[in-house]
Amino acid sequence: MTTPIQQLDVLWITAGLGCDGDTISITAATQPSLEDLVLGAIPGIPKVNFHNPVLAFETGDDFIGRFHGAAGGQGPPFILVIEGSIPNEQNKQEGYWAGFGTDRQTGQPILTCDWIDRLAGEAWAVVAAGTCAAYGGIHAMQGNPTGCMSLADYLGWKWKSKAGIPIVNVPGCPVLPDNFMEVLLYLLYQAAGLAPSIPLDQALRPKWLFGQTVHEGCDRGGYYEQGDFAEQYGAPQCIVKLGCWGPVVNCNVGKRGWINGIGGCPNVGGICIGCTMPAFPDKFMPFMNQPPGSLLSSHAVSTYGRAIKALRNFTQNSLNQEPERRRPTRRLDDTG
Ligand code: SF4
Ligand code: SF4
Ligand code: SF4
């Protein structure tokens, strides 16, 4: 067993090709919250220093100094978090696609790819926050000029940190707040020597979060089973005919909700567009069409489901009436 880590930095680079949406998303987390983590409210984990350019108080050299130090092997161990997809800086004659901070000598931007090259080998663990970093996401869709890719495509899918930890992908566009913070907390417990190595699936997602489909945890699952499908937005029934991909998408938002257990795409009427999946967005487009596979399954479910619903209605009507013996009619008749 390795020596437990007492203090650990989180170095978060938001300068992949992205929108900072994952950083904003985690500010809504509650299990645990970011504040819980950085203020030391959770027992047993290392002391955490959090460095994210969107959330930091420091700016300029005061902020970027810790990144330079980490690249030079100075300071406490760190978890490197990458947000946004990784551009291909080799596919053009001039210019650059993405940079983060400036070089102290030249004053020129430092490429995001150079930061990854400098920091990944020094990191205790590397985490991809959001689908852009995990799988390329929106920016890597067909026709994009940047040639951008996932962190695993850039470093290699079999890449491991110096602590022997594979890249940890926490997809979602944006990432579900509590999913990200729970993964970070898991890694912190692992760093403290209190948790085994994080279990990941073949797409490098934490297994316990992405082992089920949206459909398996959806509030509207009962409607699906009874073949009761919405024909327009705003209806409470299953929205598969409006384009929901939930039956084949690995995501726990149906069960977990979005913030504090509330919300979550299909629960509140939004079709699942598969944003946690490696094939997103190309294989899920056009978004508003009914998924091809669901045409067959929803047709089959319609026949079976309507018969089941008719039988249930019959039973339900009976259960909505008090047992005959409880009715006051006889007593009233007796005293009358
Ligand atoms: Fe923005 Fe979505 Fe990419 Fe995150 S995954 S950076 S939210 S586009
Ligand atoms: Fe499944 Fe989507 Fe229907 Fe929910 S809305 S039951 S996830 S198909
Ligand atoms: Fe993304 Fe679908 Fe999960 Fe919503 S339910 S977060 S669209 S994978």
Side-chain angles (χ1 to χ4, degrees):
M1 185 165 155
T2 52
T3 315
I5 293 172
Q6 307 291 331
Q7 181 177 342
L8 192 143
D9 283 6
V10 175
L11 303 186
W12 187 310
I13 292 181
T14 53
L17 297 172
C19 70
D20 295 348
D22 305 296
T23 291
I24 301 303
S25 186
I26 62 148
T27 62
T30 58
Q31 294 177 336
S33 72
L34 188 53
E35 294 85 345
D36 287 341
L37 223 62
V38 297
L39 295 176
I42 300 172
I45 62 171
K47 177 174 170 19
V48 178
N49 298 308
F50 196 81
H51 302 264
N52 176 309
V54 179
L55 304 177
F57 179 73
E58 303 89 358
T59 56
D61 282 348
D62 290 342
F63 173 77
I64 210 82
R66 177 65 193 106
F67 289 77
H68 283 295
Q74 295 159 7
F78 65 92
I79 295 175
L80 176 65
V81 179
I82 301 293
E83 177 175 354
S85 44
I86 317 305
N88 178 1
E89 298 289 2
Q90 317 298 325
N91 72 351
K92 57 195 167 346
Q93 299 300 318
E94 58 179 353
Y96 68 97
W97 294 119
F100 182 65
T102 50
D103 185 283
R104 284 167 170 162
Q105 265 80 49
T106 65
Q108 292 298 307
I110 301 173
L111 302 186
T112 299
C113 291
D114 288 345
W115 277 117
I116 296 171
D117 296 344
R118 292 175 192 180
L119 291 172
E122 298 289 335
W124 180 80
V126 173
V127 180
T131 302
C132 287
Y135 306 124
I138 291 278
H139 307 90
M141 70 187 288
Q142 190 175 13
N144 91 85
T146 64
C148 64
M149 64 196 93
S150 67
L151 187 62
D153 284 334
Y154 184 77
L155 289 176
W157 283 82
K158 294 191 185 311
W159 184 92
K160 287 191 177 175
S161 73
K162 64 182 187 183
I165 304 169
I167 296 168
V168 179
N169 284 337
V170 197
C173 185
V175 70
L176 201 159
D178 286 333
N179 275 0
F180 186 85
M181 292 305 294
E182 191 172 289
V183 170
L184 192 53
L185 183 61
Y186 188 104
L187 288 171
L188 291 168
Y189 276 124
Q190 189 178 329
L194 297 175
S197 194
I198 188 165
L200 304 173
D201 68 13
Q202 79 282 3
L204 300 178
R205 295 172 292 210
K207 279 185 178 173
W208 78 94
L209 294 174
F210 293 92
Q212 291 178 304
T213 64
V214 181
H215 189 68
E216 285 162 345
C218 179
D219 279 359
R220 296 174 189 241
Y223 287 109
Y224 184 96
E225 188 214 14
Q226 294 177 168
D228 206 352
F229 302 118
E231 300 291 340
Q232 59 185 23
Y233 280 102
Q237 293 92 350
C238 167
I239 49 181
V240 72
K241 288 189 172 175
L242 302 180
C244 183
W245 282 84
V248 291
V249 167
N250 299 76
C251 172
N252 61 348
V253 77
K255 281 207 167 148
R256 180 157 232 173
W258 196 262
I259 300 175
N260 251 343
I262 299 192
C265 312
N267 291 351
V268 289
I271 55 171
C272 170
I273 56 173
C275 79
T276 57
M277 303 295 274
F280 175 82
D282 300 63
K283 289 188 183 173
F284 294 90
M285 293 168 71
F287 288 139
M288 311 306 271
N289 286 4
Q290 182 169 7
S294 77
L295 280 170
L296 181 64
S297 58
S298 61
H299 202 69
V301 166
S302 288
T303 313
Y304 155 86
R306 283 182 190 148
I308 293 289
K309 192 179 179 195
L311 291 170
R312 282 179 182 161
N313 283 346
F314 180 75
T315 309
Q316 188 184 20
N317 284 340
S318 161
L319 296 174
N320 268 321
Q321 292 169 30
E322 289 181 350
E324 193 67 30
R325 64 179 175 74
R326 282 193 214 153
R327 295 198 176 165
T329 324
R330 197 183 318 134
R331 267 176 276 153
L332 289 172
D333 286 351
D334 287 352
T335 54

